[in-house]
């Protein structure tokens, strides 16, 4: 568990990603709004790493009727993933480091004309007291970061290995403020920040990658948040 060899990296990357998610998208950050749908706003920066498109993405969304913990638990838990991750072809939990820390191997459906991709990453979920604003509810974060595993070397089969760092940071707002036992789902709003940087691994045309991200990310976040609302609506609220 916490003495696992990956633990220092998990701690470092998770806290770095929390800080990064909290940074705004205004100012000189170079973020450009590329998709908007109601409360959902998606921004990207155009960046390349050795000739490969690795455009960082930041999405902000406000979802009613669910809590930060509920959204993060659904995003983290393997058993829900096939219900919301449309491009998933296969998923395995290759290691359970702790109850809040898993290692996943996922293959995603091939997107023509690029070759099929897989991703091997650790996934860690935790709550963080929001130091700035004491009376605001806790923050919950899930951080996914590519890792290695001796049994699953990259590019050994049909798939090209992608390298990703992803975080989902959620905060619950209760309006109007109520005594905890009288809160109903209609009083809840979850503020969601989703950040991702995906290096496609092998070559893929910049135009294809940018078209995939432009099409897939809005679909992905809308599908995920709808799934959360549907999963939680008839269940007791989990703070
Ligand atoms: C040429 C195309 C290469 C892209 C293939 C691909 C690689 C990785 C991933 C991916 C996307 C989200 C995560 S996560 O946020 O950690 C949640 C767990 O699944 C992990 C992996 C997807 C996709 C393919 C499509 C795609 C691209 C963005 C958004 C949505 N779908």
């Amino acid at each position: 568990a916490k003495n696992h060899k990956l633990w220092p990296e998990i701690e470092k990357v998770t806290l770095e990603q929390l800080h990064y998610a909290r940074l705004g998208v205004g100012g000189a950050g170079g973020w450009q709004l590329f998709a908007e749908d109601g409360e959902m706003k998606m921004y990207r920066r155009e960046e390349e790493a050795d000739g490969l498109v690795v455009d960082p993405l930041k999405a902000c969304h406000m979802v009613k009727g669910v809590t930060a913990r509920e959204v993060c638990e659904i995003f983290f838990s393997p058993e829900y993933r096939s219900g919301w991750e449309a491009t998933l072809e296969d998923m395995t939990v290759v290691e359970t480091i702790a109850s809040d820390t898993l290692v996943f191997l996922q293959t995603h459906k091939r997107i023509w004309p690029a070759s099929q991709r897989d991703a091997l990453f650790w996934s860690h979920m935790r709550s963080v007291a929001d130091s700035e604003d004491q009376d605001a509810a806790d923050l919950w974060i899930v951080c996914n970061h590519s890792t290695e595993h001796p049994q699953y070397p990259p590019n050994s089969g049909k798939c090209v290995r992608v390298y990703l760092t992803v975080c989902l940071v959620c905060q619950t707002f209760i309006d109007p403020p109520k005594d905890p036992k009288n809160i109903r789902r209609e009083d809840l709003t979850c503020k969601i920040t989703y950040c991702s940087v995906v290096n496609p691994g092998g070559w893929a045309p910049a135009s294809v990658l940018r078209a995939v991200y432009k099409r897939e990310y809005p679909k992905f976040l809308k599908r995920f948040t709808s799934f959360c609302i549907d999963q939680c609506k008839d269940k007791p609220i989990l703070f």
Side-chain angles (χ1 to χ4, degrees), residues 63-77:
V63 178
K64 291 209 55 71
V66 289
T67 67
R69 180 173 175 185
E70 291 170 337
V71 171
C72 283
E73 291 213 345
I74 292 169
F75 187 75
F76 172 75
S77 306

Side-chain angles (χ1 to χ4, degrees), residues 34-37 40 42 57 212-225:
F34 78 89
E36 203 167 352
D37 182 325
M40 184 182 77
M42 288 212 151
L57 176 119
V212 166
Y213 296 156
K214 190 171 172 70
R215 184 185 71 235
E216 294 296 334
Y217 273 117
K219 263 168 48 182
F220 163 84
L221 198 59
K222 281 173 68 177
R223 181 178 164 92
F224 171 68
T225 51

Side-chain angles (χ1 to χ4, degrees), residues 87 108-117 208 212 215-216:
T87 64
H108 288 257
K109 293 187 178 97
R110 180 168 178 255
I111 295 174
W112 186 86
S115 43
Q116 188 169 28
R117 256 74 180 171
V208 167
V212 166
R215 184 185 71 235
E216 294 296 334

